[in-house]
């Protein structure tokens, strides 16, 4: 795992086409924005896990 320190407004680049920008830090909460091509799906972990569970359930039926 790569651990980085950034301040508000700074970017993290992932490959050539994905960027993560720190938008705000408020106490223990960090807001960030993700810029990615339309064909790249970006989800919060809990949403992604729910989608995977539904997909797996559909394959069992």
């Amino acid at each position: 795992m790569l651990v980085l320190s950034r301040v508000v407004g700074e970017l993290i680049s992932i490959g050539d086409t994905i960027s993560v920008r720190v938008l705000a830090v408020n106490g223990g909460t960090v807001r960030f924005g993700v810029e990615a091509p339309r064909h790249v799906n970006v989800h919060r972990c809990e949403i992604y896990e729910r989608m995977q569970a539904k997909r797996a359930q559909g394959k069992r039926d």
Side-chain angles (χ1 to χ4, degrees):
M1 175 187 302
L2 174 64
V3 179
L4 301 170
S5 296
R6 301 279 78 194
V7 297
V8 173
E10 290 186 327
L11 282 170
I12 297 169
S13 296
I14 303 171
D16 295 329
T17 60
I18 301 172
S19 296
V20 179
R21 182 180 303 271
V22 179
L23 300 176
V25 178
N26 186 7
T29 302
V30 178
R31 290 179 52 102
F32 59 89
V34 178
E35 296 177 19
R38 289 197 177 274
H39 71 275
V40 175
N41 294 321
V42 178
H43 302 285
R44 295 186 332 240
C45 183
E46 63 273 15
I47 301 298
Y48 181 75
E49 289 172 350
R50 192 177 312 145
M51 292 167 53
Q52 292 296 90
K54 283 183 181 179
R55 188 173 296 143
Q57 185 180 18
K59 289 182 180 178
R60 283 187 244 141
D61 294 340

